[in-house]
Amino acid sequence: MSGPLIVLIGPMGVGKSTVGALLAERLGTAFRDTDADIVATQGREIADIFLEDGEPVFREFERQAVRTAVAEHDGVLALGGGAILDETTRTLLGTHPVVYLSMDVEEAVKRTGLNHARPLLLVNPRKQWRELMDARRHLYDEVARAVVATDGRTPEEVAEAVLDALELKEA
């Protein structure tokens, strides 16, 4: 099978980039983050894309970034928190080893509550995060081969749990 060795999905702030980089190191492969791809391609931060062009434009950039990364990358891939909102993206992920990194609302507020680079959480972070997760949780579950809770775990412990869940061995 071609494509990523692992695809990490989950809400903003759950640690996809941190855990993804650790997994890539442990597996002796490369790490790629579609949010970083979008920033590089567009030459501006995601928050600026949201503010200047709106969410629909960002979601189109995201859909294209995911399609490109899945086609080109054979290492560990992290997707933005909302990437799974797109039906074609969910279909595309159907044949890949996807892991949903989950966390509860208290952990989310600790990790993202005061971060103004999170355009979808600017007003009432706790309420907005709950609403986002109510809309997205079933989509994460739909495409995930495994779910790994991150609450109270170090990035190293989460990486280990991902490897265990997918029955992968370190390089």
Side-chain angles (χ1 to χ4, degrees), residues 7-96:
V7 179
L8 298 176
I9 61 170
M12 61 188 86
V14 77
K16 296 180 298 284
S17 296
T18 302
V19 171
L22 283 171
L23 286 166
E25 185 180 311
R26 288 185 179 195
L27 294 168
T29 190
F31 172 69
R32 184 166 176 175
D33 182 326
T34 57
D35 279 352
D37 290 351
I38 294 166
V39 170
T41 303
Q42 297 302 314
R44 54 197 169 135
E45 295 300 315
I46 288 170
D48 294 333
I49 297 169
F50 265 83
L51 292 171
E52 295 164 13
D53 299 334
E55 186 174 356
V57 170
F58 171 76
R59 295 296 174 205
E60 178 57 27
F61 293 155
E62 184 173 56
R63 187 176 60 73
Q64 293 170 8
V66 170
R67 184 189 303 132
T68 300
V70 168
E72 295 175 354
H73 188 66
D74 61 1
V76 178
L77 179 64
L79 305 188
I84 47 79
L85 294 171
D86 183 77
E87 186 175 348
T88 59
T89 294
R90 292 193 308 274
T91 301
L92 178 67
L93 294 175
T95 59
H96 297 283

Side-chain angles (χ1 to χ4, degrees), residues 1 3-10 16 23 66 70 75-81 83-84 89-102 137-148 161-163 165-168:
M1 181 186 80
L5 190 59
I6 301 172
V7 179
L8 298 176
I9 61 170
K16 296 180 298 284
L23 286 166
V66 170
V70 168
V76 178
L77 179 64
L79 305 188
I84 47 79
T89 294
R90 292 193 308 274
T91 301
L92 178 67
L93 294 175
T95 59
H96 297 283
V98 177
V99 177
Y100 163 28
L101 299 183
S102 69
R137 186 175 291 108
H138 71 284
L139 300 174
Y140 291 135
D141 286 331
E142 176 186 315
V143 299
R145 188 174 295 176
V147 178
V148 173
V162 170
L163 292 173
L166 294 179
E167 299 178 355
L168 292 173

Side-chain angles (χ1 to χ4, degrees), residues 107-123:
E107 189 81 8
V109 168
K110 276 193 283 189
R111 295 184 194 184
T112 65
L114 301 175
N115 186 342
H116 294 294
R118 311 282 185 187
L120 295 179
L121 296 181
L122 287 178
V123 181

